[in-house]
Amino acid sequence: MARVFITGSSDGLGLMAARLLLDQGHKVVLHARNQNRAKELRSKVAAADSIVLGDLSSIAQTKSVAEQVNELGAMDAVIHNAAVGYQEPKRAETEDGLPQVFAVNTLAPYILTVLIRKPKRLIYLSSGLHKQGDASLNDLTWERRRWDGTQAYSDTKLHDVLLAFAVARRWPDVLSNALEPGWVPTKMGGPSAPDDLDQGHRTQVWLAVSEDPAAKVTGQYFYHLKRRAVHPAAHDSKIQDKLLEACKEMSGVEFS
Ligand SMILES: NC(=O)c1ccc[n+]([C@@H]2O[C@H](COP(=O)([O-])OP(=O)(O)OC[C@H]3O[C@@H](n4cnc5c(N)ncnc54)[C@H](OP(=O)(O)O)[C@@H]3O)[C@@H](O)[C@H]2O)c1
């Protein structure tokens, strides 16, 4: 039996993954952005181990999420699932002066990766859209470019792969992988998303707990339990390190 922490598990694929893990007999630590969402979540998933609270668009609250998780003891796996979607109409700015989509999708998983006691496995939710992400990393906070919500989301999903692969390279004792779940009809995917919702949560659960040798790999990218090609820049250690350095500058949290 494993103990798994899932960010953004109040809805969508995070909630589905939590339910599947619980059905398989594992322990799950859930995460909701605030008390109200946690209350709703508690009524949906009574069997959860605990629910940690925090809005991942805030650096301070993200650090608090890491502290809450660490207080619960070691996790076997962490699934970095929470994200804001690709239809943000404007550069919504967080309390830290960052675009919300970058804060939630890129900086929060970076901070949580560094601050949560090292688990055995790390899983990062990316998207097929990562392939059109900007690998220059030259304007992470959208101060020089004209806002484009789809591009901003795609950039962050490339960052998630860069982060997964950087961790795989720097921490050989941890299995760190990324995946795309398909375009599925969650709140983010929208009602007309064409892919199979019932396949959308299975790969992250498999990577988190399976003893299948195919799941016990590191530095790989998956779609529906199969390896899939990534943006070539994702393997570039200089670009990975550039992202880690930028995240360190913005958060004050150093990857070591
Ligand atoms: N659905 C798709 O078609 C699709 C395709 C490719 C990749 N993905 C990826 O799959 C993952 C899950 O997506 P989904 O479709 O399940 O999305 P979703 O249904 O919108 O759920 C997102 C989850 O993240 C949480 N969240 C968002 N912003 C947060 C914040 N600031 N603080 C705390 N929690 C926050 C949400 O909380 P609330 O419930 O409170 O909003 C919710 O629990 C994401 O990483 C996404 O990029 C999805």
Side-chain angles (χ1 to χ4, degrees):
M1 187 199 282
R3 195 167 186 219
V4 183
F5 171 55
I6 310 173
T7 66
S9 32
S10 54
D11 207 345
L13 298 176
L15 178 58
M16 291 170 66
R19 285 185 166 135
L20 180 56
L21 284 162
L22 289 167
D23 286 350
Q24 293 177 352
H26 300 288
K27 287 191 172 181
V28 180
V29 173
L30 299 169
H31 161 242
R33 68 170 75 218
N34 57 33
Q35 285 286 4
N36 282 347
R37 293 297 281 150
K39 199 172 159 201
E40 289 163 18
L41 183 53
R42 218 165 269 125
S43 66
K44 290 183 204 164
V45 191
D49 191 337
S50 310
I51 304 178
V52 302
L53 296 183
D55 185 332
L56 299 181
S57 68
S58 152
I59 292 175
Q61 291 194 40
T62 303
K63 290 177 178 172
S64 159
V65 167
E67 280 168 22
Q68 294 168 58
V69 173
N70 287 337
E71 276 166 21
L72 296 169
M75 299 294 138
D76 294 297
V78 174
I79 303 177
H80 291 284
N81 163 83
V84 179
Y86 49 89
Q87 286 164 332
E88 295 273 285
K90 62 178 174 49
R91 185 188 179 279
E93 196 164 283
T94 69
E95 64 186 29
D96 304 298
L98 299 169
Q100 177 177 240
V101 68
F102 176 82
V104 176
N105 299 10
T106 304
L107 196 59
Y110 168 83
I111 293 171
L112 295 175
T113 298
V114 178
L115 295 183
I116 291 176
R117 194 186 309 172
K118 228 190 247 184
K120 298 187 188 89
R121 306 190 195 192
L122 282 161
I123 298 98
Y124 297 83
L125 268 284
S126 180
S127 157
L129 286 174
H130 89 270
K131 287 194 179 137
Q132 61 191 55
D134 174 18
S136 79
L137 311 188
N138 280 341
D139 186 21
L140 291 171
T141 53
W142 285 83
E143 272 144 26
R144 297 194 288 278
R145 290 178 285 175
R146 194 170 159 194
W147 180 256
D148 176 337
T150 304
Q151 186 61 50
Y153 175 79
S154 305
D155 290 358
T156 64
K157 292 290 126 178
L158 174 59
H159 303 159
D160 292 331
V161 188
L162 285 163
L163 184 53
F165 289 6
V167 172
R169 180 170 55 88
R170 299 257 199 128
W171 291 352
D173 52 336
V174 175
L175 303 180
S176 176
N177 295 291
L179 68 109
E180 61 184 69
W183 182 12
V184 291
T186 58
K187 186 167 63 188
M188 183 188 296
S192 49
D195 281 348
D196 183 358
L197 181 60
D198 189 51
Q199 292 300 315
H201 59 309
R202 295 186 184 277
T203 305
Q204 46 277 51
V205 166
W206 177 72
L207 287 169
V209 297
S210 174
E211 289 302 320
D212 180 348
K216 295 182 76 178
V217 295
T218 194
Q220 302 296 332
Y221 184 84
F222 291 87
Y223 167 70
H224 291 183
L225 278 67
K226 297 271 186 280
R227 290 196 198 177
R228 181 166 265 205
V230 282
H231 191 312
H235 294 293
D236 187 325
S237 56
K238 286 201 183 68
I239 301 177
Q240 294 167 10
D241 288 347
K242 185 173 177 180
L243 179 68
L244 298 184
E245 185 58 31
C247 289
K248 182 188 97 176
E249 290 299 315
M250 284 183 233
S251 63
V253 174
E254 182 164 7
F255 192 102
S256 56

